[in-house]
Amino acid sequence: MIITQKSLVKTLLFCLIISINSLKAEDGYRLWLKYDKIENDQLRKSYEKKLTNIYFYGTSPVLESAKKELNIGLTRMLGAEIADLKEKKKGIVAGVIGQSSEFDQLISDHDKSNLKSEGFLLISKESKSSNQIIIAAKDDIGVLYGSFRLLKLLQMHESIDELHIMENPKIKLRLLNHWDNLDGTVERGYAGFSIWNWHQLPEYIDPRYIDYARANASIGINGAVVTNVNANALIFRADYIEKAKALADVFRSYGIKLYLTARFSSPIEQGGLKTADPLDPQVQKWWNEKVAEIYKSIPDFGGFVVKANSEGQPGPQQYNRNHEDGANMLADALAPFGGIVMWRAFVYSSEEPADRSKQAYDEFVPHDGKFRKNVLIQVKNGPIDFMPREPIHPLFGAMPQTSLMMEFQITKEYLGQGTHLVGLSKMFEEVLKTDTYAKGEGSIVAKVIDGSLDNRELTGIAGVSNIGTARNWTGNFFGQADWYAYGRLAWDPYLNSEEIFNEWVKMTFSNDPKVLNPIVEMLSTSRETCVKYMTPLGLHHIMGANHHYGPGPWVSQMSRADWTSVYYHKADEKGIGFDRTKEGSQALMQYQEEFIDLYKDMKTCPLEFLLWFHHVPWDYKLSTGNILWDELCFQYHQGSKEANDLLIKWNTLEPFIDKELFNNIKMHLRIQVKEAKWWRDACLSYFQTFSKMEIPPQLEQPEHKLEYYQSLNFPYSPGIRPRW
Ligand code: GCW
């Protein structure tokens, strides 16, 4: 046998990949793309027979990424070398439809006509003369997604016989929003600093950027807004545009577009103008030129996200203009290049309104149908702010002539931040499946977002990223599951969380039911657990001030009343809760009639939103048979107990989990147990000063007096908004 230098290098590289794989302790860096060797010999060999050859029709940077990924994944999982044999009859055959008649013949007309942009088809073809796994798509991004799907089948030990999988994404823009500042900090980030090293860009390309793009592409994310919505106009300086271009260049070969946040006052700060009035011709000209400059560097630039007239951010209202004027002005600058504006609906004015939850609806509904075609209104899932549980935002279903996109928060600002295990998929799913009743029963939020309810072309979804410089990306290991779940629901908002958790656990931990089932159960129950120990029965916004870490139901002194906790829980000697019914703030009236009927009556209002919509007397008898005060105590205690159950369950997994990873998660779960008890005891001690009732004697009593909980302070809590 003649060993050429090239084949020797290739073999050495192969050995290196295999050995690195088996030596390292599990530090979480590889996310769900672990590609561990398949230990079951029979299964591995059955895959190997079908997959050890790759042939791609055509080439492009995205197709190269797909091929590279198949190579890495198959080499690791099969422990065998993968050849690019130019063999078309055997193994993986991939391509974009419409580019080679030879390839096109492999696909039926029916399949061809059902495939949509970015979708993929995965089929097996077996005959005497051929044995192929075909990955086909209408564009190269679809081929990349199909390649990841094939690798996932193997990671999940599924059969690849008689394959016929076709998937099309249901939402067009599937974005991550990074609240990353140019100084490297991350607002509400609990996984270290920003992964974008602006200082060293554009020259230094951290290999992380590539792995970031791979991970996102593997779940179908096709856009990244790399800067904070509390925006900095510096990003529009020429040198920063070049830095952004360097990131866009990395993302491109993974089908990911780059977007930026636009500070509304940029024409003043970067352009030296006296005004940022959207109707001023000079202002429009500045934006037109700036946008043209960006597109010169980044031809596939996605567009802008804008937070305007919200929490001190500049906006059109400063010039007596409105959201429509502001959004359309930017949309006009972007339209010639195919760019879009995502204008956020997270607004509440500086004059305190009677009920902050009503404001976005009041400000936006009058403009329905008046935004340009390339504008999306980006709406948070609930009307307040990413609470552990909120009813859906009343805007969903209320603006049929406007493209509304969903904004979820993947980072856990209000759900235990960097430590608690809370499977967010359940929360996302709850929101997406809630009925708006906008067009009668069944008008669920997912249908608003995917455009099917109102026949909208431009559709989108955004998730506020939880990624940072932590070696495992998300700090808390289970944060990876939230990133994964967000991507999956962005691809298909009708998926079930159990299915998503199953996929993630199989790829991240193991296919062994002894490991799989308990972890899926932990993920599935944890969100409800968190709601119980933080904000049961519809309570909300009762966390510590500014950093939002830990309980702070007593917070009453802030520059605005609607930043305090007392504004939201309204506890007094009579009872607790925010009356948002017709007799109260009337926020409930912003929803459809059927929705109103569900919640309007204290007697029949589902318990999870009781205190969201009603001010309820302490001794009010609930459907559970308990009076309100007792129920509150039971729920807090149950939540704290369930947090402990998570730890107990985790401990049973010790024999099956990598030691480093096991301990990492165990330590975080211990923090969660401690903090769940802290939430419970602090909140009950405080609310007790109003209810004047005993915590039922069978329950553990608070460890400390209320003053102790009130005295705690955390000046260096992570993720706080920086002051510019
Ligand atoms: O929830 C609040 C956060 C702010 C955030 C704001 C927003 C980026 O506490 O940190 O600012 O929402 O969504 O704009």
Side-chain angles (χ1 to χ4, degrees):
M1 191 172 79
I2 304 163
I3 302 177
T4 62
Q5 206 183 358
K6 204 169 157 195
S7 74
L8 186 67
V9 170
K10 216 173 158 193
T11 309
L12 283 176
L13 197 69
F14 163 70
C15 294
L16 194 69
I17 293 179
I18 297 295
S19 58
I20 286 176
N21 221 13
S22 49
L23 283 180
K24 262 199 180 160
E26 188 49 69
D27 62 10
Y29 182 81
R30 292 176 298 162
L31 297 159
W32 49 87
L33 303 175
K34 282 169 71 185
Y35 304 140
D36 280 342
K37 185 172 173 192
I38 296 166
E39 297 297 346
N40 177 332
D41 287 344
Q42 206 187 342
L43 182 68
R44 195 180 62 249
K45 290 205 172 108
S46 75
Y47 287 150
E48 200 180 312
K49 256 197 350 238
K50 295 189 172 161
L51 298 172
T52 37
N53 167 61
I54 302 178
Y55 184 83
F56 268 58
Y57 282 88
T59 180
S60 77
V62 174
L63 290 178
E64 281 309 306
S65 300
K67 208 195 273 182
K68 223 187 292 167
E69 194 69 27
L70 285 169
N71 243 293
I72 301 173
L74 294 174
T75 307
R76 286 193 194 156
M77 283 190 282
L78 305 182
E81 272 188 80
I82 308 302
D84 195 353
L85 292 176
K86 309 273 172 274
E87 160 71 77
K88 306 177 193 173
K89 297 263 184 210
K90 219 172 110 256
I92 300 170
V93 179
V96 175
I97 293 169
Q99 299 193 346
S100 146
S101 53
E102 190 181 71
F103 181 68
D104 289 1
Q105 277 167 18
L106 299 170
I107 325 287
S108 72
D109 287 343
H110 180 258
D111 281 341
K112 272 184 209 144
S113 63
N114 284 330
L115 261 179
K116 303 216 170 72
S117 164
E118 296 188 307
F120 61 81
L121 173 71
L122 206 53
I123 47 174
S124 54
K125 280 218 161 153
E126 285 177 42
S127 69
K128 276 201 195 109
S129 58
S130 70
N131 196 340
Q132 299 158 311
I133 302 282
I134 296 161
I135 307 172
K138 284 212 147 155
D139 39 37
D140 50 10
I141 297 175
V143 175
L144 177 65
Y145 292 160
S147 303
F148 275 113
R149 185 72 176 87
L150 176 62
L151 291 167
K152 180 156 120 182
L153 285 174
L154 268 58
Q155 286 177 285
M156 293 170 61
H157 297 184
E158 286 187 13
S159 164
I160 54 169
D161 298 334
E162 292 171 41
L163 270 186
H164 196 128
I165 300 176
M166 180 180 297
E167 284 188 27
N168 291 309
K170 297 205 164 63
I171 298 174
K172 258 196 194 140
L173 309 173
R174 306 175 296 277
L175 313 186
L176 278 188
N177 281 192
H178 290 263
W179 285 355
D180 292 20
N181 301 306
L182 299 183
D183 67 0
T185 57
V186 181
E187 181 159 347
R188 311 310 179 189
Y190 311 102
F193 287 89
S194 170
I195 59 172
W196 318 126
N197 188 340
W198 292 103
H199 186 63
Q200 294 182 16
L201 282 166
E203 288 86 5
Y204 184 73
I205 301 297
D206 191 324
R208 243 183 204 245
Y209 303 157
I210 299 161
D211 289 326
Y212 164 88
R214 286 176 54 228
N216 278 328
S218 78
I219 48 176
I221 287 173
N222 64 3
V225 186
V226 293
T227 49
N228 190 355
V229 290
N230 288 328
N232 187 335
L234 189 62
I235 194 67
F236 293 134
R237 207 172 70 180
D239 54 337
Y240 274 86
I241 293 176
E242 280 317 291
K243 290 168 190 281
K245 170 194 175 344
L247 289 179
D249 289 345
V250 174
F251 297 168
R252 189 169 300 114
S253 39
Y254 286 89
I256 296 167
K257 279 190 183 181
L258 180 125
Y259 298 75
L260 295 172
T261 46
R263 185 165 162 87
F264 202 76
S265 52
S266 298
I268 302 174
E269 286 146 14
Q270 282 298 315
L273 301 187
K274 291 218 162 48
T275 176
D277 180 351
L279 300 192
D280 184 311
Q282 287 300 108
V283 171
Q284 177 79 69
K285 183 165 170 274
W286 187 84
W287 282 110
N288 290 350
E289 286 170 5
K290 189 48 76 182
V291 166
E293 183 189 339
I294 295 172
Y295 275 94
K296 215 164 153 211
S297 293
I298 311 173
D300 58 348
F301 177 64
F304 294 141
V305 176
V306 188
K307 172 176 177 178
N309 295 120
S310 163
E311 300 187 327
Q313 292 299 304
Q317 290 171 354
Q318 280 166 270
Y319 308 97
N320 288 325
R321 315 294 183 199
N322 55 40
H323 295 296
E324 188 188 318
D325 300 325
N328 288 347
M329 181 269 295
L330 289 175
D332 289 344
L334 287 154
F337 307 93
I340 56 145
V341 174
M342 291 165 279
W343 190 270
R344 294 176 87 228
F346 179 69
V347 295
Y348 52 101
S349 83
S350 36
E351 302 99 57
E352 288 143 28
D355 181 354
R356 172 175 143 189
S357 81
K358 288 169 67 178
Q359 196 152 346
Y361 181 100
D362 290 343
E363 280 192 36
F364 279 88
V365 169
H367 301 283
D368 187 25
K370 296 182 187 156
F371 291 100
R372 299 278 193 267
K373 273 210 174 72
N374 58 334
V375 173
L376 288 125
I377 301 301
Q378 182 166 320
V379 186
K380 287 189 184 185
N381 58 268
I384 295 291
D385 193 7
F386 302 135
M387 296 292 115
R389 171 167 272 136
E390 286 191 50
I392 55 166
H393 202 295
L395 276 176
F396 293 119
M399 294 184 71
Q401 297 179 72
T402 305
S403 289
L404 294 188
M405 67 186 282
M406 170 66 74
E407 180 177 315
F408 281 132
Q409 195 182 47
I410 312 172
T411 189
K412 293 209 189 77
E413 179 178 0
Y414 300 103
L415 290 110
Q417 304 195 339
T419 50
H420 297 203
L421 189 177
V422 182
L424 286 186
S425 185
K426 279 276 179 183
M427 188 179 96
F428 301 156
E429 185 188 345
E430 174 178 296
V431 172
L432 290 165
K433 293 195 172 145
T434 298
D435 208 332
T436 67
Y437 298 99
K439 290 204 166 146
E441 208 178 316
S443 309
I444 60 172
V445 173
K447 289 189 184 171
V448 178
I449 297 308
D450 75 3
S452 59
L453 192 70
D454 301 305
N455 268 323
R456 302 227 51 94
E457 270 283 303
L458 183 59
T459 56
I461 183 164
V464 179
S465 155
N466 61 348
I467 300 164
T469 46
R471 176 71 191 158
N472 70 5
W473 301 86
T474 52
N476 180 346
F477 188 83
F478 279 96
Q480 296 186 359
D482 301 325
W483 176 9
Y484 182 83
Y486 165 73
R488 297 290 291 126
L489 287 165
W491 179 269
D492 181 352
Y494 302 90
L495 286 176
N496 287 316
S497 295
E498 264 75 15
E499 194 181 333
I500 296 173
F501 291 147
N502 258 284
E503 292 176 4
W504 181 77
V505 178
K506 282 184 176 176
M507 292 192 284
T508 307
F509 285 98
S510 165
N511 282 279
D512 180 351
K514 284 201 291 295
V515 176
L516 174 67
N517 296 338
I519 301 182
V520 168
E521 198 191 317
M522 289 169 78
L523 280 162
S524 304
T525 55
S526 52
R527 187 276 181 133
E528 215 57 59
T529 296
C530 173
V531 170
K532 284 181 210 153
Y533 65 70
M534 283 187 184
T535 53
L537 300 172
L539 285 173
H540 51 287
H541 208 294
I542 55 170
M543 64 288 154
N546 299 322
H547 49 57
H548 298 168
Y549 169 65
W554 46 81
V555 171
S556 60
Q557 300 296 322
M558 301 282 288
S559 55
R560 313 170 43 119
D562 55 5
W563 281 352
T564 68
S565 301
V566 296
Y567 174 93
Y568 293 98
H569 63 65
K570 302 207 182 302
D572 55 24
E573 58 292 349
K574 287 201 203 99
I576 180 171
F578 200 138
D579 183 359
R580 293 192 164 104
T581 64
K582 211 169 172 183
E583 292 71 41
S585 81
Q586 305 204 337
L588 181 59
M589 303 301 118
Q590 292 181 331
Y591 295 88
Q592 305 291 327
E593 217 174 299
E594 295 90 329
F595 193 98
I596 298 173
D597 285 346
L598 269 175
Y599 299 102
K600 68 180 181 200
D601 188 344
M602 200 188 292
K603 281 201 238 53
T604 50
C605 177
L607 288 188
E608 68 260 27
F609 290 126
L610 184 65
L611 305 182
W612 187 285
F613 288 119
H614 299 275
H615 190 74
V616 183
W618 293 112
D619 59 357
Y620 187 78
K621 188 110 180 245
L622 302 177
S623 52
T624 57
N626 299 318
I627 58 162
L628 175 68
W629 168 250
D630 287 351
E631 185 66 32
L632 197 67
C633 294
F634 290 138
Q635 296 248 354
Y636 269 115
H637 276 262
Q638 179 63 19
S640 158
K641 180 194 167 296
E642 286 175 14
N644 202 39
D645 292 343
L646 289 174
L647 177 61
I648 293 170
K649 183 155 274 165
W650 182 251
N651 282 338
T652 66
L653 294 172
E654 183 161 11
F656 316 111
I657 309 272
D658 171 273
K659 200 162 179 257
E660 183 176 322
L661 183 56
F662 175 81
N663 285 327
N664 168 317
I665 292 173
K666 183 174 172 159
M667 289 185 282
H668 276 153
L669 285 169
R670 280 189 172 150
I671 296 177
Q672 185 167 7
V673 171
K674 189 174 101 185
E675 293 188 354
K677 184 170 177 298
W678 171 33
W679 268 93
R680 176 194 87 185
D681 291 347
C683 291
L684 288 179
S685 305
Y686 170 74
F687 291 132
Q688 194 175 30
T689 62
F690 299 97
S691 79
K692 310 255 189 301
M693 293 185 197
E694 293 301 311
I695 294 172
Q698 68 271 35
L699 301 177
E700 192 186 333
Q701 301 297 305
E703 203 177 326
H704 304 280
K705 295 237 170 320
L706 173 61
E707 294 70 37
Y708 165 80
Y709 299 111
Q710 288 174 317
S711 73
L712 301 175
N713 70 87
F714 310 93
Y716 300 125
S717 230
I720 303 184
R721 175 183 307 169
R723 286 170 222 281
W724 295 112

